[in-house]
Amino acid sequence: MTGDLQSLTLPIAGMTCGACATRLEKTLARVTGIQTAGVNFAVERADISFDPSIVNIETITQAISNTGFSVPDEHYSFGVSGMTCSACSTRLEKSLSSIPGVLSAHVNLALERAGIETAAGSVKIDTLAQAVRNAGFKPILGTGMSQADTDQMRQVQQTRQLAHEKRIMLISVALSAPLVLHMILLFMGVEFSHPPVLELLLATIIQFVIGARFYKAAYNALRGGSANMDVLVVLGTTSAYLYSWYLLVTLGPLAPGKLYFEASAVIITLVLVGKYMEARAKRGTTAAIRQLMDLRPETARVRQTDNTEIQKPIAEVIPGDFVIVKPGERIPVDGVVVRGESEVDEALITGESIPVTKSVDDRVTGGAINGTGLLEVKTTEVGQDSTLARIIHLVENAQAGKAPVQRLVDRISAIFVPIVIVIAALTFASWYLSTGVFESALIAAVSVLVIACPCALGLATPTAIMTGTGAAARAGILIKDVESLERAHRLNAIIFDKTGTLTEGRPSVTQIHAIQGSEIDILQTAAMVQQGSEHPLAKAMLDRATELKLSLPDISEFKSHTGLGVTAVAEDQIIICGNTELLQKLGITMPDEPMVTRLEQQANTVVWVAKDKQAIGFIAIADTIRIESAAAIQSLHALNARTLMISGDAEEVAQRVGNEVGIDEVRGRTKPDQKADAVKELQQAGCVVGMIGDGINDAPALAAADVGIAMGTGTDVAMETAGITLMRSDPRLVAAAIHASRATFRKIKQNLFWAFIYNLIGIPLAAMGILTPTLAGAAMALSSVSVVSNSLLLRKWKPDLQDNPQLKNKVQRKS
C-alpha cells in the first residue's frame, strides 16, 4: 500500500546539454517509489513526485549522484525556544526532516539550535520556521539567515560561478591565441609555424587541464548508458590531439606546420566561450524570477501591544501582527490597512503602472512600494501563503514545465549523439576508402563530431517558455503551467462571467421596494440573512445597511442555494433572499410587479425578500460595466475568437451588458453547473474554450475549460482552479494572455527551426569536408547562443492595451 505522494523540486548541477536531462529523467523514472520525474535543462532543476513511504530524499539524491550529476545543498541554522527535553528535540528533528527538500536536520537541545541541510532553493526559511511553530516551539531567526539573505547568497554564488567560468574561458583563450595566430597566418599565405613542443604544451594544458570537465561529463554520461554533447567534444578533440601526437612522433623534424594541435585546443576554447555566453544569456531568461525575489523585504516593523515598534525578520511575522510601513518602503506582508492612507505602486506585482490609492479596509500586497503616506497594516498572509510567494511559485512552475513539443525534442536528443557518432564513422570510412588519405578522413570525421550540437535543441523550448512566462508575469499575467500556456494560443471561444469580470464587481443598491412594511425593514431583513454570504450582491446590501447603521440580529440555519440565493432563520422566522426561481422553488407566490421588469431592463438585478412564505419586497442592485470591457471584447474578435457571457443574473440584465460591450452570445439565469455544461457544449462543437471568472461559483467552469482564467481580485478557489491568473481586474489582459502564448510558441518554432536547420545543414557540410574542425567548433558554440538570444527577444514583449475611444465612451455614457 502506498502513501500520499509528495512533490519535490531539486536543483541539478553538472548537466551540459539536453541529452543529460533526458538521461537523468529516465534514471529517476526507474527509481522505485518515484511516480513522475521531469528534468529541465534550461533551469537546471528536477520536479519529482514520489511516495515517501517507499523512497526518501537521500535515495533520490543518491540516484542523481550515481547518474553523474549532483544536488547542490544549502545550510540553515537558527535558534529554537520552548524545548524542555530530548524528546522535544527528537520530535522537532522528525518534523523538519519530513519537509520535502530537507536532506538532514539536527537539533541541539543544549544549544537550543537547529541545523538543517536542504537541497539548494527547494526549501524556504519561512517553511522551516512554520514547521518549528507547528511542532510547538518558537523559531529565533535573528541569529540565522532570512530568506532574503539566502536568496542573495544564492545569487552571489551564481555570480561567482559565472565569474569562475569566465576566468577559465579567458585562460583558455590566452593559451589558444598563439595557435590561432598560426592558423590566421597560414590562411593569409604566410609560412609560419610554432615549435612543435610549444604547440604540444599549449594543447595539452587546454585538452586535459581546462578540458578535464568534458572528460568527466562524458564519462558520467557513458556510465549512465547514454551519450551527450561532451562525448562528441571528447571524441573529436581527442582524435585530433592523438593524431597530432602520431604525426609528431613519425614525422620528426618534418612535423612543424603539419600538426593539428590547434584544432583540438581551439575547439575546446570555442566551446567554453559558447557555454559562457549561453550561461549569461540563460540568466537573462530567469530575470523575472530574480526581480520578484528582490521584492521581498528582509524585515518588518511590527507594533507591539504596548505601542512600541520593533524590527522582526519576515519569517517571524505571523498573521495578526500589526506592521508599520513608512513612506517609500516596500510593504513586507499581505494584509489589510487599519490606519492611514497612501498611494501604493504595485507595478512589479500586477503590471499596473499607475499607483493605487489604499486606505482603511483596503488590501495590500507584500512587495509593493508605499507612497507618501504612513500605513499600518494588519498581517493576513505570510511566507508561502503570501501573494508574492504564490506568484514566484507559479512562475517557477511554469518555467520548469515541458511543452508537448519538448518531449519530442527530448526523444530526438536521446538518440542524436549516437546517430552523429555513426555519421562520423561513415564519414571517416567514406573518405578513407575514396581517397586513401587517413588525414582527410579524420579531419572530416572530427568536423562532424564537433559541429553537431544537441544543446541548441535542448534549449530551444525551455528558454522561450522561461522568457515568455517571465514577460507575461511582468505584465500581470501569471501562467500556472506549460499546458495552459500551450492551450492558450489555440483558444477560439471565450466565455466570460459577468460580475467582477466585465463589470466592476462592486454592485450597489439602487432601489428598495416594500410590499409589506417599510424600505428600511426590507433592507434590514435582507442584510440580516446575507450576513453568512460572500456574494457581491450580499455585500452591496450589507454595505447599505452599514451606511444606515442598521442593527442586524444573529441568524441560524444559514443555507446558500447556489445560483439562486440564501435562506436562514432569524427571530424564529424563515427568511428568504434570492431570485424569482428560488422563491417559486420554495412555494412562494410571486406578486405581479411591473416595476421589476423595468428595473431589469435597466441592467438592475432584482433580489426578492420573503418572510414566512410570503414576499415582502425586493431590492434592485446594479453593477457598473468596466470601461475596458468593450475594448477587451474587440481585441478578442480581432483574434477571431467567439465571445460569450454566461451569468446567473436575469436574462434582461445579462443581455443589456452583453449588447453594450459587444459580446456575441449572452445567457442569463445560469447556475454554476450550467456554466460548466456550456463549456463542455462548446468543446464538443470543436472549440478550444477559455473561461474567465472570479468567484467560487465559477470554479467548476474554470476547471472544465481548456484554459481557466481567473481575475486576480477574485477568490483563492478561482485562482487555484484556473490555469492563468490576471493580477489586476482588466479584461483586456485576456487577449494579452493569448498574445503572450502565441508569441512564446512562435519563438519556440523559430528556435526549433534554427536548431534543426543548423544541424541538418552543418553536419552534411562537415561530412563533405567543406568545414574545418575549427570552423565547426565555432559554429557549434554559436548555435546555442543564437537560440537563447532569440528567446531573449521575448523580454521586449508587452501587452497591447490600446483602448478604442469610441467603444470606451459608449460604455461610459450608457453606464
Side-chain angles (χ1 to χ4, degrees):
M1 180 184 231
T2 60
D4 294 333
L5 295 178
Q6 286 187 357
S7 296
L8 176 66
T9 298
L10 294 175
I12 306 296
M15 294 190 296
T16 58
C17 68
C20 296
T22 303
R23 173 161 57 94
L24 180 56
E25 207 168 77
K26 289 180 179 178
T27 299
L28 291 172
R30 289 195 294 266
V31 176
T32 304
I34 292 182
Q35 186 76 12
T36 60
V39 181
N40 190 307
F41 166 55
V43 293
E44 297 179 324
R45 66 181 253 190
D47 292 280
I48 302 164
S49 174
F50 69 102
D51 187 341
S53 65
I54 298 176
V55 63
N56 56 28
I57 297 172
E58 288 78 9
T59 304
I60 295 173
T61 55
Q62 187 59 48
I64 294 170
S65 178
N66 292 342
T67 314
F69 309 109
S70 62
V71 178
D73 57 15
E74 214 163 45
H75 296 270
Y76 295 95
S77 178
F78 53 82
V80 178
S81 66
M83 296 187 294
T84 57
C85 64
S86 60
C88 294
S89 60
T90 301
R91 175 159 56 90
L92 181 55
E93 277 186 2
K94 289 182 179 178
S95 177
L96 291 169
S97 298
S98 66
I99 299 173
V102 171
L103 303 176
S104 66
H106 303 283
V107 179
N108 189 307
L109 176 63
L111 297 176
E112 294 188 317
R113 195 159 195 80
I116 301 103
E117 180 184 353
T118 72
S122 63
V123 181
K124 306 297 185 185
I125 186 70
D126 46 24
T127 303
L128 299 173
Q130 189 59 48
V132 173
R133 295 190 193 100
N134 293 342
F137 310 108
K138 181 182 177 181
I140 303 173
L141 302 174
T143 55
M145 287 193 300
S146 68
Q147 188 60 50
D149 287 333
T150 56
D151 287 335
Q152 184 179 14
M153 184 181 72
R154 193 176 304 121
Q155 290 185 29
V156 169
Q157 289 173 342
Q158 291 172 349
T159 302
R160 286 176 178 171
Q161 179 63 28
L162 194 62
H164 174 71
E165 296 292 333
K166 182 179 180 180
R167 284 195 297 271
I168 296 297
M169 176 198 71
L170 291 177
I171 292 171
S172 188
V173 168
L175 293 174
S176 301
L179 301 175
V180 172
L181 175 63
H182 173 218
M183 295 167 57
I184 293 173
L185 291 174
L186 287 177
F187 179 76
M188 296 173 62
V190 179
E191 290 295 331
F192 170 81
S193 62
H194 294 294
V197 174
L198 177 61
E199 290 189 31
L200 173 62
L201 178 62
L202 294 174
T204 301
I205 294 173
I206 294 172
Q207 186 75 35
F208 297 110
V209 179
I210 293 175
R213 66 183 65 190
F214 297 110
Y215 285 92
K216 181 180 178 181
Y219 168 75
N220 288 330
L222 294 173
R223 189 183 65 173
S226 67
N228 62 0
M229 177 207 75
D230 302 286
V231 173
L232 298 179
V233 173
V234 166
L235 282 175
T237 58
T238 304
S239 298
Y241 178 84
L242 292 178
Y243 182 60
S244 297
W245 252 108
Y246 169 78
L247 292 176
L248 180 61
V249 172
T250 56
L251 295 179
L254 301 177
K258 298 180 180 180
L259 305 178
Y260 292 92
F261 284 122
E262 76 278 359
S264 63
V266 172
I267 287 169
I268 287 177
T269 300
L270 288 171
V271 173
L272 289 175
V273 171
K275 297 304 279 185
Y276 172 73
M277 293 172 64
E278 176 190 313
R280 285 198 58 180
K282 280 165 65 178
R283 276 180 64 84
T285 65
T286 58
I289 288 289
R290 292 200 305 276
Q291 287 176 346
L292 288 170
M293 286 182 172
D294 289 342
L295 295 182
R296 295 185 295 201
E298 185 177 345
T299 60
R301 187 180 294 102
V302 179
R303 180 170 62 80
Q304 303 289 84
T305 54
D306 60 359
N307 284 329
T308 60
E309 298 176 10
I310 63 169
Q311 290 281 353
K312 276 188 177 182
I314 286 296
E316 289 187 8
V317 179
I318 61 175
D321 279 350
F322 290 90
V323 174
I324 306 299
V325 188
K326 293 184 177 181
E329 293 182 339
R330 286 200 183 276
I331 298 172
V333 296
D334 287 4
V336 177
V337 177
V338 295
R339 183 166 60 92
E341 182 175 335
S342 183
E343 288 192 333
V344 174
D345 181 358
E346 300 177 327
L348 283 174
I349 299 170
T350 67
E352 176 57 70
S353 57
I354 301 174
V356 181
T357 301
K358 300 289 184 180
S359 56
V360 175
D361 292 335
D362 286 337
R363 292 187 62 85
V364 292
T365 304
I369 301 174
N370 185 24
T372 57
L374 179 72
L375 295 177
E376 182 173 349
V377 178
K378 183 178 181 181
T379 304
T380 55
E381 287 91 21
V382 294
Q384 295 305 295
D385 295 325
S386 68
T387 300
L388 185 57
R390 290 164 63 193
I391 291 173
I392 292 172
H393 179 68
L394 280 174
V395 177
E396 285 180 332
N397 275 355
Q399 292 188 345
K402 288 191 176 183
V405 67
Q406 179 63 29
R407 297 186 179 94
L408 172 63
V409 172
D410 286 346
R411 288 196 292 272
I412 294 172
S413 296
I415 61 172
F416 181 85
V417 174
I419 289 174
V420 169
I421 293 173
V422 170
I423 293 173
L426 292 174
T427 299
F428 177 84
S430 300
W431 273 86
Y432 189 69
L433 291 174
S434 61
T435 65
V437 181
F438 180 86
E439 183 176 316
S440 300
L442 179 64
I443 295 305
V446 169
S447 298
V448 169
L449 290 171
V450 172
I451 198 168
C453 185
C455 294
L457 288 174
L459 292 169
T461 301
T463 53
I465 289 173
M466 290 160 65
T467 314
T469 53
R474 283 192 290 270
I477 303 167
L478 299 184
I479 300 169
K480 185 177 182 180
D481 48 43
V482 173
E483 287 74 16
S484 299
L485 178 68
E486 194 274 334
R487 294 192 195 107
H489 81 280
R490 296 186 289 113
L491 290 176
N492 54 21
I494 308 296
I495 300 176
F496 285 90
D497 176 46
K498 178 181 77 70
T499 306
T501 52
L502 294 174
T503 63
E504 292 288 349
R506 293 191 297 271
S508 57
V509 173
T510 58
Q511 189 165 338
I512 303 172
H513 179 75
I515 298 174
Q516 294 182 13
S518 67
E519 292 180 357
I520 293 296
D521 292 336
I522 300 301
L523 177 61
Q524 187 176 37
T525 302
M528 187 167 39
V529 72
Q530 294 290 1
Q531 290 179 89
S533 175
E534 295 292 333
H535 196 281
L537 297 181
K539 188 175 186 305
M541 290 179 267
L542 288 166
D543 287 346
R544 176 56 66 87
T546 300
E547 288 174 15
L548 299 176
K549 299 180 180 179
L550 301 181
S551 61
L552 302 177
D554 294 334
I555 59 173
S556 60
E557 300 181 34
F558 174 84
K559 184 177 181 181
S560 175
H561 302 262
T562 305
L564 302 175
V566 296
T567 59
V569 174
E571 299 176 336
D572 298 325
Q573 294 179 309
I574 298 175
I575 310 296
I576 303 165
C577 190
N579 59 21
T580 303
E581 186 178 348
L582 177 61
L583 270 65
Q584 290 175 339
K585 182 179 178 181
L586 297 177
I588 297 175
T589 303
M590 300 300 298
D592 183 18
E593 288 288 348
M595 186 189 301
V596 171
T597 303
R598 186 175 70 254
L599 287 169
E600 289 181 338
Q601 288 174 345
Q602 295 171 353
N604 287 273
T605 297
V606 174
V607 178
W608 285 91
V609 183
K611 185 186 293 186
D612 287 337
K613 297 286 185 178
Q614 188 171 3
I616 61 172
F618 60 82
I619 300 173
I621 301 172
D623 189 6
T624 306
I625 298 172
R626 293 187 188 278
I627 58 175
E628 307 93 352
S629 294
I633 301 304
Q634 185 186 55
S635 297
L636 289 168
H637 287 162
L639 294 173
N640 296 318
R642 177 184 174 190
T643 56
L644 301 89
M645 187 183 78
I646 300 179
S647 172
D649 289 341
E651 190 74 38
E652 295 81 1
V653 175
Q655 285 291 347
R656 180 175 178 270
V657 172
N659 290 339
E660 290 188 14
V661 300
I663 290 279
D664 295 328
E665 182 181 342
V666 176
R667 302 181 191 180
R669 297 194 187 279
T670 307
K671 299 177 184 177
D673 57 336
Q674 292 174 324
K675 291 182 182 180
D677 290 340
V679 170
K680 294 172 184 175
E681 175 189 322
L682 287 169
Q683 288 170 333
Q684 290 170 357
C687 296
V688 183
V689 182
M691 171 70 200
I692 294 87
D694 74 333
I696 293 175
N697 291 346
D698 302 319
L702 288 170
D706 294 287
V707 180
I709 303 177
M711 302 290 268
T713 51
T715 64
D716 287 344
V717 174
M719 293 175 68
E720 289 297 325
T721 307
I724 296 176
T725 297
L726 309 181
M727 289 307 296
R728 63 183 189 273
S729 299
D730 187 343
R732 294 174 299 175
L733 289 178
V734 176
I738 298 175
H739 274 296
S741 173
R742 291 184 178 181
T744 302
F745 275 84
R746 188 161 54 245
K747 196 62 68 177
I748 288 173
K749 290 177 182 177
Q750 291 173 6
N751 286 348
L752 288 174
F753 170 80
W754 289 115
F756 276 111
I757 205 70
Y758 161 82
N759 284 293
L760 288 174
I761 294 175
I763 292 174
L765 289 177
M768 288 186 288
I770 297 174
L771 296 177
T772 65
T774 303
L775 289 175
M780 187 269 277
L782 291 174
S783 63
S784 296
V785 178
S786 62
V787 164
V788 179
S789 300
N790 187 47
S791 294
L792 284 176
L793 294 176
L794 274 174
R795 294 176 66 180
K796 298 179 180 179
W797 179 87
K798 291 182 180 179
D800 181 9
L801 301 181
Q802 295 297 320
D803 285 319
N804 182 313
Q806 294 178 339
L807 288 173
K808 186 172 179 177
N809 293 335
K810 173 185 173 184
V811 172
Q812 286 178 318
R813 288 196 304 271
K814 292 193 174 183
S815 295

